[in-house]
Amino acid sequence: MASLSLNLIYPPLFHLPNVITQQKSINLSLVALLMGLLKQLAATKTKAKGSQAQSPLTQNVTAVEGGTATLTCKVDQNDNTSLQWSNPAQQTLYFDDKKALRDNRIELVRSSWHELSINISEVTLSDEGQYTCSLFTMPVKTAKAFLIVLGVPQTPVISGFKGPVNEGVLVELTCTTIGSKPAANIRWFKGDKEIRDVPSTKEPDSKGKTFTVSSTLGLQVDRNDDGVTVSCTVDHESLRSSPQVAKQVLDIQYVPSVKIDFSRNFAREGDELRLECRATGNPTPEAVKWKKDGAELPDPDRMVVEGNILIISALNKTDNGTYYCEAANTMGHNSAEYILFVYDAPISPSPTITAPSSPSTRTITTPVTITTSTTKLSAVSRARDPSALAGQSGPDHAVIGGVVAVVVFITLCLIIVLGRYLARHKGTYLTNEAKGAEDAPDADTAIINAEGSQANAEDKKEYFI
């Protein structure tokens, strides 16, 4: 405030008019001074009233441990009032564009009458807390911003597998990760398939800021699990779209599995047959062994073993039987079998002989003989190729064979009926011719009696067929 010094000189009483004049001058100066003071006070009140409408604005910030956090304080209307950032310990970080705390991790981003922004790089869990932005008005106004620091979980580790293990054993795998904040989540996968509902435990560390998370998976393993990859995945908001993964490949030992593959479905005489023995096991099976009917291969010249393949050349009927492939490892042995049946080789069809329309006969005094050589030749020709049906050569041959069989059967039936008829007719003819000679005492009398009976010969007729 302005001060006023008055040096009053009291004149002698006999100079009274001059005294009155000087007093009026002093009063006018005091009035002017008071009016100036009132104007300055009014301006100050107006400024204070305007500053009451100003407020700093901040936002909470989340940062990943080791990353960078940006703190921003903004003021919509500011009349050149200063801004300041301070940490949770109420230490000033920046006052306008002036750095107050010696920390190389803290840098100024932007400083103006409307904004004060700073960066904190390589943030740690100890940086977490409430930060304050201050606007120096009358009175001072503040805004709070909470910095959240996420603890990144370390790469998980799978323990508990001491391979190799035998088939049928219960295997327990434990996945563990430490340093997460908040606590991470663990998921299990077997191959590409997720295993759900596996329990996990979450324990805070000694300082109470981060967590140790672990999960145990139990598996009853078999041969199908050999070589399968089991993995545990750690999910956490600090990892975003790149979860951390630990993997364990299962090593399961089991007895060999054996299978025989063959090169052809129908084996005929003269063909070549290949039998391949496929043996899988852990440990890897030793060299396979081939046997026939439980014994060694009978013909090494034609039965050649190349690796796990048995080659039988120039097949014949003696090759029929059961072939065994055996494989073994330290876990045991196993075998597979293949039953071989060799079919007849296909032959070219024989020429067709047409039977005459009616068989020829002749009448003699001895029993009648009818030859059917043509039909027999056809039957024999058909019986010599049984492999035609066995080998499924075609439906036309089956139809022809059936027709031929029916024709042969009908022909035989006709021959039998005709033979019996001729036999009966010839017997009756001889008996009538000798009638009258039965009671003759000697040959001469029989001849006479027979000649006497010639009188009735005209009534007899002979029929030739």
Side-chain angles (χ1 to χ4, degrees), residues 432-456:
N432 290 333
E433 185 180 13
K435 188 177 292 184
E438 297 174 353
D439 298 332
D442 50 24
D444 296 335
T445 306
I447 293 173
I448 295 172
N449 292 338
E451 292 176 353
S453 62
Q454 294 294 328
N456 298 326

Side-chain angles (χ1 to χ4, degrees), residues 241-259:
S241 59
S242 301
Q244 294 182 347
V245 181
K247 298 181 179 181
Q248 176 65 61
V249 179
L250 301 180
D251 186 4
I252 312 301
Q253 293 187 338
Y254 57 94
V255 177
S257 298
V258 184
K259 179 184 178 182

